[in-house]
Amino acid sequence: QLQASGGGLVQAGGSLRLSCVASGRTLGRYAMGWFRQVPGKEREFVAAISWSGRSISYADSVKGRFTVSRDNAKNTGYLQMSRLNPEDTAVYYCAARSGLSTATMTAEYGYWGQGTLVTVSS
């Protein structure tokens, strides 16, 4: 089970850090991903990190502003979001997959958190 937290309301230009805690399994053997979704649109890829943390990928829209990381000892993944803009407003989901490498498609992830809402005001 994955539990995402850290969402909230922030002004444009601000920062937030999302956390994703895994319970019931050891996160260290899973790659993790972050996705986001707005009403009426498909869930889209944001960032992913391999089990070791050595391989990371980002969507072009967040590259240079968001940083994905993980602490396997704490069974937790993070998404540090900076220079937020209103287009980043969405429900953010963390996900895990049994493969050790990163993936950008929702179908490649078998475990999902419940989502945390990020709202960026202009």
Side-chain angles (χ1 to χ4, degrees):
Q1 183 177 359
L2 302 176
Q3 181 78 27
S5 62
L9 175 64
V10 63
Q11 287 189 333
S15 300
L16 279 175
R17 188 176 81 157
L18 306 183
S19 298
C20 178
V21 180
S23 59
R25 63 184 70 246
T26 301
L27 195 60
R29 302 304 294 175
Y30 294 80
M32 292 187 66
W34 289 92
F35 293 77
R36 65 187 182 187
Q37 188 171 24
V38 298
K41 291 191 175 182
E42 291 189 355
R43 194 168 296 185
E44 67 172 4
F45 169 75
V46 175
I49 184 168
S50 64
W51 73 274
S52 66
R54 295 194 191 100
S55 179
I56 289 175
S57 59
Y58 296 99
D60 288 342
S61 59
V62 307
K63 205 171 290 184
R65 300 188 299 122
F66 290 12
T67 302
V68 63
S69 62
R70 63 190 298 159
D71 185 338
N72 289 338
K74 295 182 178 179
N75 244 17
T76 303
Y78 304 97
L79 183 67
Q80 176 68 48
M81 306 184 294
S82 302
R83 289 163 29 215
L84 286 161
N85 58 62
E87 289 69 39
D88 295 316
T89 295
V91 176
Y92 283 71
Y93 298 88
C94 62
R97 62 189 297 264
S98 299
L100 302 181
S101 60
T102 59
T104 62
M105 306 294 289
T106 57
E108 296 176 283
Y109 290 84
Y111 307 95
W112 291 87
Q114 86 289 0
T116 184
L117 177 62
V118 172
T119 304
V120 184
S121 62
S122 57

